[in-house]
Amino acid sequence: MLALIHAELVLHDHFMPEAVLFIEDGKISGFGEMRTTPIPDGCEIIDLKGAYLGPGMIDIHTHGADGVFFPEDPLRAARFFLRHGTTTVLPALYFSMNTAQYVEAIEKIKLAMQQPDGKNIAGFYMEGPYLNPKFGCDKEHNPWKGPVAKENYQPIIDCAGTLARVWALAPERENILQFVLDAKKANPEARFTVAHSEASPQQIEALMPCGLCIGTHHTNATGDRFRYSETRGVCVDEAVNYNRDIFAELICDSRGIHVDPYMLRLVRRIKGDDRIILISDVYVADGPVPEEFAGVTDINFDHSGEIAGSLEVACRNMMKHTGASMVDVFNYASYNPARVLGMTDRGEIAVGKRADLVAVDHRMNVQKVFFKGELQ
């Protein structure tokens, strides 16, 4: 048995100060305040010295890290995320790949998942192929502008199988329902997102019975609708805000470039703390920093000046921009993504859950990471 002592436990809805947490066989076997919880003889002890201990973070949407895309070097990217407290990660595979490239990337990452350094990879976030070609980073290189065609997409579905946990799509694409149904045949538990889209609320809601329950990087790469010249209409953002069953992904960078801080606070008020998911959406780009964003260090830019993704400081930024507590941001970064994916074995500190844990200071700087109870 392993005992983590002098921990400030970050539970789903409250703190437990000056606590001890026990780990057996890779799972949380108990916890309590140190003053009332005896530590059994023979325990291995790790003193966290007052660090906050929360559930390992779950990044459902990110393209790479440490200078590489996942298809280039999945183990290098996975190691980076694990060092920074992400104990579950879904590599996002982007629409810029053709059928053969998608299959090659999936096969390469599947092999990496079998290696010790790829243990935190838990499947795929398929950001494509059928998005709206008007939107997104690197939109100039999109081989999926033509009709939704089974002969093009079925090899990707077959290769990803049940590991395709999330499929992002634009509901306005013609014949998209057939794609959704074929994807569900391969994985009945797959989730779908509205992404890179200018769909109407009705087009989005029509796919909710099929499992559409996420708004990809909410308020980014979504269209505007105007009923008349000076009358605001409704589109993707309004549909995500309105529908209680849709979780809103948020990219939260230090300057509020992806989502304005006022908008972050508005979305939090509308959606509630149980329907927000923080994502890093890291995109490996080395374009020049636009002049108006001089000094920004936690996002990258592509060569056309498009925003390309922030790092895992999203939790810290969310606290800064919205006043959210550490309990809240751990819910956004762990509990909520676990729920939306149906991962009932992780995402919170509770007896019987997998001992994926991260110790942080008051500013969310990672100090220690535990994966299935083992210090990394």
Side-chain angles (χ1 to χ4, degrees):
M1 181 184 291
L2 174 64
L4 307 182
I5 66 172
H6 297 124
E8 303 287 303
L9 290 190
V10 186
L11 303 173
H12 166 52
D13 52 8
H14 66 286
F15 289 106
M16 181 177 289
E18 192 62 15
V20 57
L21 182 142
F22 301 107
I23 298 171
E24 286 186 279
D25 299 324
K27 296 182 179 181
I28 299 169
S29 59
F31 56 88
E33 294 186 23
M34 289 190 65
R35 62 184 179 84
T36 58
T37 306
I39 299 175
D41 293 338
C43 266
E44 179 186 354
I45 293 175
I46 295 179
D47 190 345
L48 296 184
K49 300 178 180 179
Y52 293 92
L53 185 68
M57 288 177 275
I58 300 172
D59 196 341
I60 72 169
H61 182 170
T62 189
H63 298 268
D66 204 17
V68 296
F69 286 106
F70 268 101
E72 294 175 323
D73 193 339
L75 296 180
R76 178 173 171 177
R79 286 193 297 265
F80 178 92
F81 281 108
L82 189 59
R83 288 197 305 271
H84 290 265
T86 298
T87 53
T88 300
V89 62
L90 300 187
L93 302 183
Y94 204 44
F95 66 74
S96 55
M97 295 184 285
N98 60 30
T99 300
Q101 290 168 330
Y102 261 118
V103 170
E104 181 182 2
I106 292 166
E107 293 290 3
K108 187 172 183 178
I109 294 171
K110 283 163 67 174
L111 288 174
M113 293 172 67
Q114 300 172 25
Q115 304 299 315
D117 283 356
K119 58 193 173 187
N120 57 329
I121 302 175
F124 302 104
Y125 187 107
M126 306 299 290
E127 195 172 8
Y130 293 115
L131 310 182
N132 189 313
K134 293 181 183 180
F135 305 107
C137 186
D138 200 30
K139 54 182 171 283
E140 296 81 10
H141 304 100
N142 184 349
W144 299 92
K145 296 179 182 180
V148 175
K150 187 179 181 72
E151 62 269 23
N152 294 330
Y153 68 70
Q154 193 63 47
I156 302 172
I157 291 175
D158 292 341
C159 186
T162 57
L163 291 175
R165 293 183 177 272
V166 180
W167 289 94
L169 50 85
E172 69 270 26
R173 293 289 297 260
E174 188 175 359
N175 296 325
I176 198 66
L177 178 59
Q178 186 58 55
F179 171 82
V180 168
L181 296 176
D182 287 337
K184 283 183 69 68
K185 285 181 184 177
N187 182 13
E189 300 303 316
R191 274 54 170 172
F192 297 90
T193 84
V194 52
H196 297 230
S197 171
E198 55 183 1
S200 68
Q202 291 75 23
Q203 289 171 318
I204 295 167
E205 291 167 357
L207 294 180
M208 289 178 66
C210 298
L212 191 153
C213 58
I214 303 171
T216 290
H217 42 57
H218 187 40
T219 76
N220 282 255
T222 52
D224 295 321
R225 285 185 179 270
F226 293 91
R227 292 185 299 151
Y228 307 106
S229 61
E230 297 183 4
T231 304
R232 184 182 180 92
V234 292
C235 191
V236 175
D237 300 331
E238 289 78 16
V240 172
N241 283 339
Y242 179 78
N243 282 281
R244 177 68 181 155
D245 290 337
I246 299 180
F247 287 72
E249 290 180 0
L250 291 174
I251 306 171
C252 193
D253 59 74
S254 60
R255 287 271 293 273
I257 296 169
H258 286 88
V259 187
D260 185 276
Y262 193 95
M263 180 65 75
L264 289 169
R265 295 190 287 271
L266 176 62
V267 171
R268 187 181 176 208
R269 174 164 291 187
I270 294 171
K271 296 301 297 180
D273 290 329
D274 62 343
R275 288 296 187 274
I276 290 173
I277 295 173
L278 287 178
I279 60 171
S280 68
D281 199 13
V282 175
Y283 196 83
V284 182
D286 58 359
V289 177
E291 184 176 345
E292 65 267 32
F293 300 141
V296 173
T297 60
D298 65 339
I299 63 175
N300 300 318
F301 299 86
D302 71 10
H303 285 270
S304 63
E306 292 290 336
I307 298 169
S310 66
L311 302 176
E312 72 281 348
V313 293
C315 288
R316 182 186 313 140
N317 293 332
M318 193 70 173
M319 294 166 73
K320 166 188 169 183
H321 292 319
T322 71
S325 72
M326 189 172 291
V327 169
D328 295 326
V329 297
F330 267 109
N331 283 336
Y332 306 155
S334 190
Y335 183 71
N336 292 348
R339 283 196 303 133
V340 81
L341 294 177
M343 292 181 168
T344 58
D345 63 338
R346 69 197 76 177
E348 65 176 318
I349 291 180
V351 173
K353 299 289 185 180
R354 211 167 86 171
D356 291 350
L357 303 162
V358 57
V360 300
D361 66 13
H362 69 288
R363 288 184 51 78
M364 292 296 295
N365 295 304
V366 173
Q367 297 180 347
K368 287 182 173 61
V369 180
F370 299 85
F371 183 88
K372 292 186 178 180
E374 294 186 1
L375 180 63
Q376 303 302 296

